[in-house]
Amino acid sequence: MDHDESDTRSGTRSRPERSPGDARVDELLTRAADGDEQAFAGVYDALASPVMGLACRVLRDEAQAEEVTQDVMVEVWRTADRFRPERGAARSWVLTLAHRRAVDRVRSVTAGRARELRTGARDQDRPFDTVAEEVEEREEHRVVFRCLAQLSEHLRLPLVLAYYEGLTYAEVADSLAAPAGTIKSRMRQGLRRLRECVETGS
């Protein structure tokens, strides 16, 4: 790592304000990027639970959420050197990774279930309209996730934290180190674009 990058990672450049807890996790993840396994254990203790909570909300399946959580934390360990504290908190960075992984898992599971429905619908005792409703519901979820993925990160992440992680406006603002008014504005803009995307199905 060259001198300039080292200065950036160690905090020479100005960073957004952090809560003491987030600042501590930033420090631990920066140390983990240099191979400090004990520091990564601290990152794991601090963030595995929020990652699990987000994954559960997206997947609605605890077993799959646990798998995603482990995958995400392994990815965090392997790619810790990509974290840039001057760009945002470690918590936000890790939750973004978690959201991407969870959405990928949803897409994979949805595709598999759709294939099962197509091949097995004729052999089931349920009425056709019940099967059709399930397919329609899964398609709606697929459209929502695709539209979320199309949003820019600064619009997507507040929505993910609020609606999947269950954070309040204040908690989202604190997590992203941004004013509450800014977060509300981003969420309104994000919801408007999400609604437009879902309505057009694009």
Side-chain angles (χ1 to χ4, degrees):
M1 180 181 301
D2 60 32
H3 180 71
D4 290 340
E5 186 174 354
S6 177
D7 285 347
T8 299
R9 296 183 62 78
S10 62
T12 300
R13 295 182 185 177
S14 60
R15 304 179 186 177
E17 290 297 322
R18 302 278 201 277
S19 68
D22 280 348
R24 175 60 175 163
V25 177
D26 286 3
E27 177 189 352
L28 290 171
L29 186 54
T30 300
R31 286 164 47 193
D34 293 326
D36 188 331
E37 295 184 8
Q38 185 173 359
F40 178 73
V43 174
Y44 189 100
D45 290 343
L47 298 182
S49 181
V51 168
M52 177 68 178
L54 187 153
C56 276
R57 287 172 173 83
V58 174
L59 292 161
R60 302 186 184 280
D61 183 294
E62 185 173 352
Q64 291 196 52
E66 288 177 351
E67 292 179 5
V68 167
T69 298
Q70 294 305 313
D71 289 345
V72 168
M73 299 313 295
V74 169
E75 183 178 0
V76 170
W77 168 246
R78 295 175 59 184
T79 64
D81 60 343
R82 297 180 186 173
F83 169 59
R84 296 294 181 266
E86 70 276 7
R87 296 181 182 175
R91 175 187 173 95
S92 300
W93 184 70
V94 172
L95 288 177
T96 297
L97 295 178
H99 178 251
R100 290 171 182 166
R101 284 273 185 156
V103 168
D104 286 345
R105 178 64 67 91
V106 167
R107 288 171 176 166
S108 175
V109 170
T110 300
R113 288 176 177 172
R115 285 193 297 270
E116 291 175 3
L117 284 173
R118 286 196 299 269
T119 58
R122 289 178 299 179
D123 300 328
Q124 296 183 19
D125 295 331
R126 293 173 296 164
F128 173 78
D129 58 350
T130 301
V131 177
E133 286 176 4
E134 290 187 10
V135 173
E136 182 177 359
E137 182 180 352
R138 292 190 176 103
E139 174 64 17
E140 289 175 355
H141 283 303
R142 185 181 66 81
V143 171
V144 169
F145 288 130
R146 186 175 69 236
C147 289
L148 263 176
Q150 292 176 3
L151 293 177
S152 60
E153 184 173 321
H154 79 283
L155 296 180
R156 180 178 66 248
L157 193 52
L159 296 180
V160 171
L161 292 175
Y163 292 100
Y164 291 112
E165 183 66 11
L167 303 187
T168 64
Y169 275 128
E171 289 170 337
V172 172
D174 181 64
S175 176
L176 299 180
T182 299
I183 293 301
K184 289 182 179 180
S185 176
R186 290 177 181 176
M187 291 182 68
R188 284 195 296 268
Q189 184 179 0
L191 285 171
R192 184 174 66 253
R193 292 188 181 180
L194 185 64
R195 182 171 57 250
E196 291 171 354
C197 177
V198 170
E199 288 175 352
T200 60
S202 59

